[in-house]
Amino acid sequence: MQLAILSGSVYGTADLVADEAAIRCREAGLQVVRLHPPRVDELLEAQADAYLLCTSTTGMGELPDTFLPFFHELRDRFPLFTGKPFAVIALGDSAYADTFCQGGEQVRELMLELQAREVIPMLRLDASESVTPELDAGPWLDQLVAALT
Ligand SMILES: Cc1cc2nc3c(=O)[nH]c(=O)nc-3n(C[C@H](O)[C@H](O)[C@H](O)COP(=O)(O)O)c2cc1C
């Protein structure tokens, strides 16, 4: 099982969470391709079996600049991932009540449009609640690994 782990980040937190996820998934025996900033060509060449997308939210519910070009290109080229497993980690701050984790939501919706199959509900990491998101993701990552193996 080859898992592509992609991240988009403004200040580095989402990249850190994705790096930790890569370590944990490798320890669990998965083959991991880590893409950041992600590029569509690289993703398609990797021929991954599954996808973990990890992004923060910036502006008013927008995706980070490091993820936006990938997102637009993926939406334009629209490669179908029919039936392939995916999951999303969304970083945000509940102080932004109206746009909480909207970046992750956008990514999730696009992956569903591309006919990928969400294997576990999106993880929302709230900067108002915790300063150790990379640790908080642990139990959820265990569930992801279980769903993929
Ligand atoms: C200028 C700015 C705008 C933000 N806008 C949102 C937002 O609309 N919705 C949200 O859930 N979080 C928002 N956040 C919170 C970040 O997503 C959160 O702090 C996240 O952990 C940052 O991760 P990063 O270091 O990977 O960028 C914003 C943060 C900043 C600094």
Side-chain angles (χ1 to χ4, degrees):
M1 165 70 70
Q2 171 144 285
L3 174 67
I5 300 183
L6 294 65
S7 62
S9 178
V10 179
Y11 302 105
T13 323
D15 289 335
L16 181 66
V17 171
D19 287 343
E20 284 294 321
I23 291 169
R24 214 169 172 111
C25 290
R26 284 192 182 112
E27 281 172 358
L30 299 176
Q31 280 180 283
V32 172
V33 185
R34 179 76 179 89
L35 303 174
H36 72 115
R39 288 186 37 242
V40 174
D41 280 335
E42 277 178 356
L43 179 66
L44 298 179
E45 280 161 22
Q47 297 195 320
D49 304 301
Y51 308 93
L52 172 58
L53 305 104
C54 179
T55 183
S56 66
T57 301
T58 191
M60 288 303 291
E62 282 137 40
L63 286 164
D65 284 347
T66 60
F67 203 88
L68 212 47
F70 168 80
F71 181 83
H72 286 149
E73 191 181 339
L74 195 64
R75 202 179 47 193
D76 290 345
R77 289 173 62 176
F78 218 76
L80 291 182
F81 299 132
T82 309
K84 287 202 176 175
F86 83 96
V88 177
I89 299 176
L91 285 83
D93 189 328
S94 56
Y96 296 86
D98 294 342
T99 56
F100 181 49
C101 288
Q102 206 74 66
E105 293 284 3
Q106 290 186 50
V107 170
R108 179 177 175 268
E109 278 163 26
L110 178 56
M111 289 301 285
L112 290 171
E113 284 174 30
L114 298 175
Q115 298 180 15
R117 176 172 59 88
E118 191 173 35
V119 284
I120 52 172
M122 186 168 85
L123 174 65
R124 291 174 176 78
L125 295 170
D126 184 355
S128 285
E129 297 257 302
S130 169
V131 291
T132 53
E134 72 283 8
L135 301 181
D136 303 339
W140 184 92
L141 286 167
D142 290 343
Q143 285 181 45
L144 175 65
V145 168
L148 294 178
T149 50

